[in-house]
Every structure is written in structure tokens, then in C-alpha cells.
Amino acid sequence: FAVGSVRADDIISAFTQRNDLLDLLAVGDNVVVPKLGSGFEIVDGTSFAAPAVAGAAALIYSISSSFNAIDVASILKTSGATNHDDNSVSGRTTDLSYSRLNVLAAVELAKARSTSTTSALNTRDTTIIDSAYDSAGILHVSWYDKQNGDLMYATQNTSGK
């Protein structure tokens, strides 16, 4: 699981490696940390973004010990805000989109997923046959449309669109 750094204004840090292997962004620029001896200092680096993600993963796992690593990764990526790496950003850009850590949204999503006892949902006109999140945090849903007699499929990307 690869973590990159983003500034407080959601600009991807210049030192972050950008490619399709990057999984999640977290604040890693201008992080205040204790200074050896006494006091505090301001530091930068993905080494300071990764602990925030690890802490969020621990919170998610504490909600339900039945979550596995893929579940936790899916929750972290799905609940985060989308950060698009484009020409409005300084430095080398990729035109890829990454999810930025949102701890509160991740905890809320984990609570919602942990209380679900089944993936089948019934409505008046349709029955959802199955729904699942893949390893990239993308929701896939299939259902039978009773009115038209069709088997339907839809997906939703991590930005909710």
C-alpha cells in the first residue's frame, strides 16, 4: 500500500512519487512533530503521511475485526476525497486521480459496512442481487429489474460518480 504526501491545500507534494502504484494521499507537508530534546519542529515527507494512514487503518480495524486488509484499503480509498494530479499542480504531473485520506469519512464508512449483514437489498420494483467493493474501492452492483425483466449492472468510482 503506497502512501504519498499532499499539502494542506490539497496540492500533491513535489517530493511524492506519482504513478499508478500510488494508493492514497495524506498530509505530509509542514507536519509539526516533537523535536529531539524539547520543543517542536516542522518536517516534510511521505514518512510523515504514512503514519496518519496507518492510524486510520487501525481505527477501521477496531470497528470490526472481521475486516481484512482489502476491506481496510477499500474503505480508506473509497472514503477519501479525490485529488486530481493535473497541470494546475506544480512539478511533474500524471493526470491521474488519487484519493486523499479523510479519517472521519473512513470511520463512518467502516461503521456502515460493519453493520451490514447481507449484500442483498429489496425495493418495490427491483431486487439487488449482489453488491461489492473491489480492491480499488469501486462499488459494483448487479440486480434484476422486475418491471423490464432485465439483469442490470452498475458501477461507481471512488469519487462517487
Side-chain angles (χ1 to χ4, degrees):
F1 198 84
V3 177
S5 172
V6 66
R7 301 182 335 199
D9 61 359
D10 275 347
I11 301 295
I12 298 173
S13 303
F15 52 81
T16 289
Q17 295 292 323
R18 302 167 180 173
N19 58 45
D20 58 356
L21 300 177
L22 183 60
D23 293 301
L24 191 65
L25 298 168
V27 174
D29 247 324
N30 294 318
V31 178
V32 179
V33 299
K35 186 176 182 180
L36 186 60
S38 68
F40 298 91
E41 64 182 326
I42 297 174
V43 295
D44 300 325
T46 56
S47 296
F48 301 99
V53 175
L59 284 172
I60 291 167
Y61 186 72
S62 74
I63 291 167
S64 175
S65 61
S66 68
F67 288 143
N68 60 35
I70 292 173
D71 295 329
V72 173
S74 172
I75 290 167
L76 288 171
K77 292 165 77 172
T78 304
S79 62
T82 299
N83 186 310
H84 188 73
D85 185 25
D86 59 15
N87 292 331
S88 66
V89 178
S90 63
R92 185 180 59 83
T93 60
T94 61
D95 205 33
L96 296 172
S97 292
Y98 305 102
S99 184
R100 181 190 34 81
L101 179 65
N102 181 330
V103 177
L104 179 59
V107 167
E108 289 172 349
L109 181 57
K111 286 179 181 177
R113 287 194 189 175
S114 70
T115 58
S116 176
T117 58
T118 179
S119 63
L121 303 172
N122 293 311
T123 65
R124 186 172 43 172
D125 297 322
T126 62
T127 299
I128 296 178
I129 297 170
D130 196 16
S131 64
Y133 289 89
D134 66 17
S135 61
I138 298 172
L139 175 65
H140 299 268
V141 180
S142 61
W143 72 95
Y144 178 72
D145 182 335
K146 292 178 185 176
Q147 185 175 5
N148 295 320
D150 295 322
L151 182 61
M152 307 296 291
Y153 169 81
T155 188
Q156 182 179 33
N157 68 24
T158 56
S159 69
K161 297 179 182 174

